[in-house]
Amino acid sequence: MHRLDPLSGTDLREDAQGLAVFTASGERRRRVDTARGRFVPGGASMYSFRHNPLTLMVLDLTTGTITEHPLPEGCEVGEIPPTAPIWETPDTLVFCQPHHASTRRIIRWHLRREAFEHFDLPEIAGYRPFLIEPTLA
């Protein structure tokens, strides 16, 4: 097993035919080409990032379509905190943008609306805000 979505139990694992996504009941949903993607909470989609230009790519596991969403410059997209974006809800992904001019900024992307919001943080937030992923239920 390479990845697991804790909300749905959907996982990414290898079988005799390669990498595939399986539901919690064991149903094989879709073959995938790489283990780099991570699950959007709920297990219906997977996401990954492309650099130059910075783009969020979302794979719909039902249809197999990939949608690309350009991200604002400077969003941190590492795999581990403090640079990893977090899913605030299954529909909103939150990024740090630590050096937007002299301001520290949080950016929220709404998956369904394909819209961005940004929130400038006060100086007391420090050099690099540390996002904490909520426990989604």
Side-chain angles (χ1 to χ4, degrees), residues 10-136:
T10 301
D11 67 76
L12 175 66
R13 65 179 115 132
E14 290 183 60
D15 67 4
Q17 297 157 350
L19 284 172
V21 174
F22 291 84
T23 63
S25 65
E27 174 191 347
R28 191 176 204 271
R29 289 184 74 185
R30 177 162 300 279
R31 185 183 171 283
V32 295
D33 295 327
T34 180
R36 285 187 19 225
R38 292 173 268 175
F39 285 107
V40 172
S45 302
M46 294 185 79
Y47 72 101
S48 61
F49 298 102
R50 183 178 66 213
H51 300 274
N52 296 330
L54 188 56
T55 305
L56 171 67
M57 297 182 307
V58 179
L59 167 64
D60 183 316
L61 293 170
T62 305
T63 64
T65 56
I66 297 174
T67 54
E68 296 185 3
H69 310 276
L71 296 175
E73 188 177 318
C75 286
E76 293 190 324
V77 295
E79 293 240 355
I80 55 173
T83 60
I86 59 135
W87 287 94
E88 183 179 48
T89 72
D91 293 326
T92 56
L93 186 60
V94 179
F95 301 88
C96 278
Q97 191 183 35
H99 296 293
H100 181 75
S102 62
T103 306
R104 287 137 193 93
R105 180 172 279 180
I106 298 293
I107 296 176
R108 179 185 288 141
W109 178 67
H110 297 273
L111 179 70
R112 298 202 192 286
R113 294 184 320 179
E114 294 188 28
F116 289 97
E117 293 178 292
H118 66 84
F119 305 94
D120 292 337
L121 300 174
E123 191 69 31
I124 198 166
Y127 165 74
R128 173 176 271 161
F130 194 95
L131 301 175
I132 299 172
E133 193 158 19
T135 302
L136 302 176

